[in-house]
Amino acid sequence: AAKPVPLGDLTAVRSSSGAAWAQGGRSLVVSPNLTGRYNIWRVDRGANFPAQITTSNETQTPADVTRDGLILYLQDNGGDELFDIYAVPLAGGAVTNLTGTPEIAEYEPRLTPDEAAIVFGRRTKPGTIVDLAVMDRATAKARQLTQESDPSRQWSVAGFTDGGRTLIA
């Protein structure tokens, strides 16, 4: 007589470092500490238990899921809080480090509406300023969008308008 676990119960039982919807709401990607580590898990609508997608000693935080089935998530190295953006297939598989920047921390990656690019915050290791950058998914090349000079200010993505041609930050 077992029934699917309500999504709210998953975070009530264990803490989670983030969540993202996938497949038009048919799955939820979460990062609970079910195994003692915050790794990436997928909860399918109607499923009784989440499926573990990644296994790592590092904390992982899901950020977004592409329509073609890639989970974008953040992970640091050894607790250094210099997060890189990673991707892993929604069904599981090989993990790819998309940014590979050991001296830069990336934050809050967001897909553009056409999913051709990822916009994210970035901060250098000794710095406090968070600027915005955009990475083309086809070439994996990133370019900085803002050049903040005030150390008390941080940029973050709020959304897109004008069919994705305009970024609100």
mmCIF file of all heavy atoms in Angstrom, residues 85-118:
data_model
loop_
_atom_site.group_PDB
_atom_site.id
_atom_site.type_symbol
_atom_site.label_atom_id
_atom_site.label_comp_id
_atom_site.label_asym_id
_atom_site.label_seq_id
_atom_site.Cartn_x
_atom_site.Cartn_y
_atom_site.Cartn_z
ATOM 1 N N ILE A 85 30.767 25.441 -12.297
ATOM 2 C CA ILE A 85 29.503 24.969 -12.849
ATOM 3 C C ILE A 85 29.759 23.629 -13.526
ATOM 4 O O ILE A 85 30.656 23.504 -14.359
ATOM 5 C CB ILE A 85 28.913 25.970 -13.856
ATOM 6 C CG1 ILE A 85 28.690 27.333 -13.179
ATOM 7 C CG2 ILE A 85 27.603 25.431 -14.440
ATOM 8 C CD1 ILE A 85 28.326 28.446 -14.145
ATOM 9 N N TYR A 86 28.971 22.646 -13.155
ATOM 10 C CA TYR A 86 29.077 21.296 -13.694
ATOM 11 C C TYR A 86 27.791 20.928 -14.412
ATOM 12 O O TYR A 86 26.746 21.531 -14.183
ATOM 13 C CB TYR A 86 29.304 20.276 -12.574
ATOM 14 C CG TYR A 86 30.672 20.312 -11.957
ATOM 15 C CD1 TYR A 86 31.021 21.289 -11.040
ATOM 16 C CD2 TYR A 86 31.615 19.350 -12.284
ATOM 17 C CE1 TYR A 86 32.277 21.316 -10.467
ATOM 18 C CE2 TYR A 86 32.874 19.360 -11.719
ATOM 19 C CZ TYR A 86 33.204 20.342 -10.809
ATOM 20 O OH TYR A 86 34.451 20.361 -10.251
ATOM 21 N N ALA A 87 27.871 19.890 -15.245
ATOM 22 C CA ALA A 87 26.688 19.340 -15.907
ATOM 23 C C ALA A 87 26.748 17.824 -15.829
ATOM 24 O O ALA A 87 27.830 17.230 -15.899
ATOM 25 C CB ALA A 87 26.617 19.790 -17.361
ATOM 26 N N VAL A 88 25.577 17.209 -15.659
ATOM 27 C CA VAL A 88 25.443 15.755 -15.659
ATOM 28 C C VAL A 88 24.095 15.430 -16.297
ATOM 29 O O VAL A 88 23.129 16.172 -16.110
ATOM 30 C CB VAL A 88 25.555 15.173 -14.224
ATOM 31 C CG1 VAL A 88 24.399 15.634 -13.335
ATOM 32 C CG2 VAL A 88 25.667 13.664 -14.241
ATOM 33 N N PRO A 89 24.014 14.359 -17.084
ATOM 34 C CA PRO A 89 22.715 14.000 -17.670
ATOM 35 C C PRO A 89 21.677 13.705 -16.592
ATOM 36 O O PRO A 89 21.988 13.142 -15.537
ATOM 37 C CB PRO A 89 23.024 12.737 -18.479
ATOM 38 C CG PRO A 89 24.488 12.808 -18.765
ATOM 39 C CD PRO A 89 25.097 13.482 -17.560
ATOM 40 N N LEU A 90 20.445 14.083 -16.864
ATOM 41 C CA LEU A 90 19.333 13.859 -15.944
ATOM 42 C C LEU A 90 19.175 12.375 -15.617
ATOM 43 O O LEU A 90 18.786 12.011 -14.510
ATOM 44 C CB LEU A 90 18.044 14.412 -16.564
ATOM 45 C CG LEU A 90 16.793 14.416 -15.707
ATOM 46 C CD1 LEU A 90 16.975 15.249 -14.448
ATOM 47 C CD2 LEU A 90 15.620 14.945 -16.519
ATOM 48 N N ALA A 91 19.511 11.507 -16.560
ATOM 49 C CA ALA A 91 19.421 10.065 -16.340
ATOM 50 C C ALA A 91 20.651 9.509 -15.623
ATOM 51 O O ALA A 91 20.688 8.333 -15.290
ATOM 52 C CB ALA A 91 19.248 9.344 -17.679
ATOM 53 N N GLY A 92 21.650 10.360 -15.363
ATOM 54 C CA GLY A 92 22.908 9.916 -14.770
ATOM 55 C C GLY A 92 23.941 9.717 -15.863
ATOM 56 O O GLY A 92 23.616 9.641 -17.039
ATOM 57 N N GLY A 93 25.206 9.669 -15.475
ATOM 58 C CA GLY A 93 26.271 9.489 -16.453
ATOM 59 C C GLY A 93 27.469 10.339 -16.108
ATOM 60 O O GLY A 93 27.660 10.761 -14.967
ATOM 61 N N ALA A 94 28.279 10.606 -17.128
ATOM 62 C CA ALA A 94 29.529 11.339 -16.937
ATOM 63 C C ALA A 94 29.264 12.787 -16.534
ATOM 64 O O ALA A 94 28.387 13.453 -17.073
ATOM 65 C CB ALA A 94 30.353 11.299 -18.217
ATOM 66 N N VAL A 95 30.060 13.250 -15.574
ATOM 67 C CA VAL A 95 29.994 14.625 -15.081
ATOM 68 C C VAL A 95 31.006 15.466 -15.863
ATOM 69 O O VAL A 95 32.127 15.024 -16.100
ATOM 70 C CB VAL A 95 30.318 14.659 -13.571
ATOM 71 C CG1 VAL A 95 30.506 16.074 -13.087
ATOM 72 C CG2 VAL A 95 29.225 13.956 -12.781
ATOM 73 N N THR A 96 30.598 16.683 -16.250
ATOM 74 C CA THR A 96 31.478 17.602 -16.968
ATOM 75 C C THR A 96 31.611 18.900 -16.190
ATOM 76 O O THR A 96 30.605 19.503 -15.824
ATOM 77 C CB THR A 96 30.913 17.922 -18.370
ATOM 78 O OG1 THR A 96 30.721 16.702 -19.077
ATOM 79 C CG2 THR A 96 31.850 18.815 -19.151
ATOM 80 N N ASN A 97 32.851 19.324 -15.941
ATOM 81 C CA ASN A 97 33.090 20.634 -15.335
ATOM 82 C C ASN A 97 33.062 21.646 -16.467
ATOM 83 O O ASN A 97 33.927 21.644 -17.337
ATOM 84 C CB ASN A 97 34.440 20.658 -14.611
ATOM 85 C CG ASN A 97 34.674 21.963 -13.865
ATOM 86 O OD1 ASN A 97 34.096 22.992 -14.198
ATOM 87 N ND2 ASN A 97 35.520 21.903 -12.869
ATOM 88 N N LEU A 98 32.055 22.522 -16.480
ATOM 89 C CA LEU A 98 31.880 23.472 -17.572
ATOM 90 C C LEU A 98 32.787 24.690 -17.459
ATOM 91 O O LEU A 98 33.118 25.301 -18.470
ATOM 92 C CB LEU A 98 30.421 23.935 -17.653
ATOM 93 C CG LEU A 98 29.384 22.851 -17.918
ATOM 94 C CD1 LEU A 98 27.986 23.456 -17.904
ATOM 95 C CD2 LEU A 98 29.663 22.147 -19.235
ATOM 96 N N THR A 99 33.162 25.075 -16.244
ATOM 97 C CA THR A 99 33.952 26.295 -16.085
ATOM 98 C C THR A 99 35.415 26.014 -15.751
ATOM 99 O O THR A 99 36.283 26.677 -16.287
ATOM 100 C CB THR A 99 33.333 27.218 -15.029
ATOM 101 O OG1 THR A 99 33.084 26.480 -13.838
ATOM 102 C CG2 THR A 99 32.032 27.822 -15.535
ATOM 103 N N GLY A 100 35.710 25.099 -14.863
ATOM 104 C CA GLY A 100 37.095 24.747 -14.549
ATOM 105 C C GLY A 100 37.956 25.938 -14.189
ATOM 106 O O GLY A 100 39.036 26.111 -14.743
ATOM 107 N N THR A 101 37.494 26.754 -13.252
ATOM 108 C CA THR A 101 38.204 27.977 -12.873
ATOM 109 C C THR A 101 38.573 27.917 -11.393
ATOM 110 O O THR A 101 37.819 28.382 -10.546
ATOM 111 C CB THR A 101 37.330 29.218 -13.149
ATOM 112 O OG1 THR A 101 36.051 29.002 -12.522
ATOM 113 C CG2 THR A 101 37.120 29.433 -14.644
ATOM 114 N N PRO A 102 39.735 27.364 -11.045
ATOM 115 C CA PRO A 102 40.088 27.172 -9.641
ATOM 116 C C PRO A 102 40.274 28.459 -8.831
ATOM 117 O O PRO A 102 40.207 28.432 -7.614
ATOM 118 C CB PRO A 102 41.392 26.376 -9.700
ATOM 119 C CG PRO A 102 41.914 26.541 -11.067
ATOM 120 C CD PRO A 102 40.752 26.842 -11.950
ATOM 121 N N GLU A 103 40.467 29.595 -9.484
ATOM 122 C CA GLU A 103 40.660 30.862 -8.772
ATOM 123 C C GLU A 103 39.434 31.770 -8.856
ATOM 124 O O GLU A 103 39.476 32.914 -8.437
ATOM 125 C CB GLU A 103 41.886 31.601 -9.324
ATOM 126 C CG GLU A 103 43.180 30.808 -9.176
ATOM 127 C CD GLU A 103 43.548 30.564 -7.710
ATOM 128 O OE1 GLU A 103 43.466 31.520 -6.903
ATOM 129 O OE2 GLU A 103 43.907 29.422 -7.383
ATOM 130 N N ILE A 104 38.340 31.251 -9.428
ATOM 131 C CA ILE A 104 37.108 32.030 -9.588
ATOM 132 C C ILE A 104 35.936 31.204 -9.076
ATOM 133 O O ILE A 104 35.857 30.007 -9.336
ATOM 134 C CB ILE A 104 36.874 32.399 -11.069
ATOM 135 C CG1 ILE A 104 38.003 33.308 -11.568
ATOM 136 C CG2 ILE A 104 35.529 33.082 -11.267
ATOM 137 C CD1 ILE A 104 37.944 33.593 -13.054
ATOM 138 N N ALA A 105 35.034 31.867 -8.364
ATOM 139 C CA ALA A 105 33.801 31.217 -7.896
ATOM 140 C C ALA A 105 32.660 31.631 -8.811
ATOM 141 O O ALA A 105 32.486 32.817 -9.091
ATOM 142 C CB ALA A 105 33.497 31.629 -6.462
ATOM 143 N N GLU A 106 31.907 30.655 -9.278
ATOM 144 C CA GLU A 106 30.715 30.931 -10.065
ATOM 145 C C GLU A 106 29.487 30.742 -9.178
ATOM 146 O O GLU A 106 29.496 29.903 -8.292
ATOM 147 C CB GLU A 106 30.632 30.012 -11.290
ATOM 148 C CG GLU A 106 31.550 30.406 -12.421
ATOM 149 C CD GLU A 106 32.923 29.781 -12.347
ATOM 150 O OE1 GLU A 106 33.107 28.777 -11.634
ATOM 151 O OE2 GLU A 106 33.830 30.309 -13.009
ATOM 152 N N TYR A 107 28.439 31.546 -9.455
ATOM 153 C CA TYR A 107 27.219 31.516 -8.655
ATOM 154 C C TYR A 107 25.988 31.543 -9.552
ATOM 155 O O TYR A 107 25.989 32.152 -10.612
ATOM 156 C CB TYR A 107 27.131 32.749 -7.735
ATOM 157 C CG TYR A 107 28.249 32.861 -6.742
ATOM 158 C CD1 TYR A 107 29.336 33.693 -6.987
ATOM 159 C CD2 TYR A 107 28.227 32.145 -5.562
ATOM 160 C CE1 TYR A 107 30.363 33.815 -6.070
ATOM 161 C CE2 TYR A 107 29.253 32.250 -4.635
ATOM 162 C CZ TYR A 107 30.320 33.088 -4.901
ATOM 163 O OH TYR A 107 31.337 33.197 -3.993
ATOM 164 N N GLU A 108 24.916 30.930 -9.079
ATOM 165 C CA GLU A 108 23.573 31.042 -9.631
ATOM 166 C C GLU A 108 23.517 30.962 -11.155
ATOM 167 O O GLU A 108 23.027 31.875 -11.808
ATOM 168 C CB GLU A 108 22.920 32.339 -9.153
ATOM 169 C CG GLU A 108 22.818 32.427 -7.650
ATOM 170 C CD GLU A 108 22.255 33.761 -7.165
ATOM 171 O OE1 GLU A 108 22.120 34.700 -7.973
ATOM 172 O OE2 GLU A 108 21.953 33.845 -5.976
ATOM 173 N N PRO A 109 23.976 29.877 -11.758
ATOM 174 C CA PRO A 109 23.872 29.766 -13.214
ATOM 175 C C PRO A 109 22.414 29.692 -13.661
ATOM 176 O O PRO A 109 21.609 28.997 -13.056
ATOM 177 C CB PRO A 109 24.617 28.472 -13.534
ATOM 178 C CG PRO A 109 24.623 27.692 -12.263
ATOM 179 C CD PRO A 109 24.570 28.686 -11.145
ATOM 180 N N ARG A 110 22.090 30.458 -14.700
ATOM 181 C CA ARG A 110 20.731 30.480 -15.259
ATOM 182 C C ARG A 110 20.831 30.338 -16.765
ATOM 183 O O ARG A 110 21.608 31.042 -17.418
ATOM 184 C CB ARG A 110 20.043 31.815 -14.950
ATOM 185 C CG ARG A 110 19.832 32.111 -13.487
ATOM 186 C CD ARG A 110 18.514 31.631 -12.958
ATOM 187 N NE ARG A 110 17.344 32.113 -13.625
ATOM 188 C CZ ARG A 110 16.668 33.191 -13.289
ATOM 189 N NH1 ARG A 110 17.049 33.937 -12.286
ATOM 190 N NH2 ARG A 110 15.593 33.530 -13.958
ATOM 191 N N LEU A 111 20.046 29.465 -17.311
ATOM 192 C CA LEU A 111 19.985 29.308 -18.756
ATOM 193 C C LEU A 111 19.259 30.492 -19.377
ATOM 194 O O LEU A 111 18.281 30.989 -18.807
ATOM 195 C CB LEU A 111 19.225 28.033 -19.116
ATOM 196 C CG LEU A 111 19.941 26.730 -18.829
ATOM 197 C CD1 LEU A 111 18.947 25.580 -18.796
ATOM 198 C CD2 LEU A 111 21.022 26.478 -19.867
ATOM 199 N N THR A 112 19.725 30.918 -20.531
ATOM 200 C CA THR A 112 18.975 31.904 -21.285
ATOM 201 C C THR A 112 17.712 31.213 -21.807
ATOM 202 O O THR A 112 17.682 29.983 -21.893
ATOM 203 C CB THR A 112 19.806 32.458 -22.457
ATOM 204 O OG1 THR A 112 20.229 31.371 -23.283
ATOM 205 C CG2 THR A 112 21.015 33.251 -21.955
ATOM 206 N N PRO A 113 16.664 31.964 -22.139
ATOM 207 C CA PRO A 113 15.417 31.318 -22.579
ATOM 208 C C PRO A 113 15.593 30.353 -23.758
ATOM 209 O O PRO A 113 14.914 29.335 -23.825
ATOM 210 C CB PRO A 113 14.513 32.501 -22.946
ATOM 211 C CG PRO A 113 14.977 33.584 -22.029
ATOM 212 C CD PRO A 113 16.474 33.406 -21.960
ATOM 213 N N ASP A 114 16.522 30.634 -24.670
ATOM 214 C CA ASP A 114 16.757 29.723 -25.793
ATOM 215 C C ASP A 114 17.754 28.614 -25.439
ATOM 216 O O ASP A 114 18.033 27.748 -26.261
ATOM 217 C CB ASP A 114 17.228 30.484 -27.031
ATOM 218 C CG ASP A 114 18.581 31.161 -26.838
ATOM 219 O OD1 ASP A 114 19.216 31.020 -25.759
ATOM 220 O OD2 ASP A 114 19.020 31.854 -27.783
ATOM 221 N N GLU A 115 18.286 28.673 -24.218
ATOM 222 C CA GLU A 115 19.244 27.697 -23.684
ATOM 223 C C GLU A 115 20.551 27.637 -24.460
ATOM 224 O O GLU A 115 21.331 26.707 -24.323
ATOM 225 C CB GLU A 115 18.621 26.306 -23.555
ATOM 226 C CG GLU A 115 17.468 26.275 -22.582
ATOM 227 C CD GLU A 115 17.010 24.887 -22.205
ATOM 228 O OE1 GLU A 115 17.538 23.896 -22.738
ATOM 229 O OE2 GLU A 115 16.116 24.801 -21.341
ATOM 230 N N ALA A 116 20.838 28.659 -25.245
ATOM 231 C CA ALA A 116 22.094 28.714 -25.989
ATOM 232 C C ALA A 116 23.248 29.162 -25.101
ATOM 233 O O ALA A 116 24.413 28.958 -25.452
ATOM 234 C CB ALA A 116 21.965 29.655 -27.185
ATOM 235 N N ALA A 117 22.931 29.758 -23.958
ATOM 236 C CA ALA A 117 23.973 30.292 -23.084
ATOM 237 C C ALA A 117 23.571 30.138 -21.623
ATOM 238 O O ALA A 117 22.409 29.911 -21.301
ATOM 239 C CB ALA A 117 24.231 31.761 -23.406
ATOM 240 N N ILE A 118 24.562 30.270 -20.760
ATOM 241 C CA ILE A 118 24.363 30.245 -19.314
ATOM 242 C C ILE A 118 24.891 31.562 -18.769
ATOM 243 O O ILE A 118 26.041 31.937 -19.033
ATOM 244 C CB ILE A 118 25.141 29.079 -18.654
ATOM 245 C CG1 ILE A 118 24.731 27.741 -19.267
ATOM 246 C CG2 ILE A 118 24.929 29.086 -17.147
ATOM 247 C CD1 ILE A 118 25.676 26.597 -18.910
#
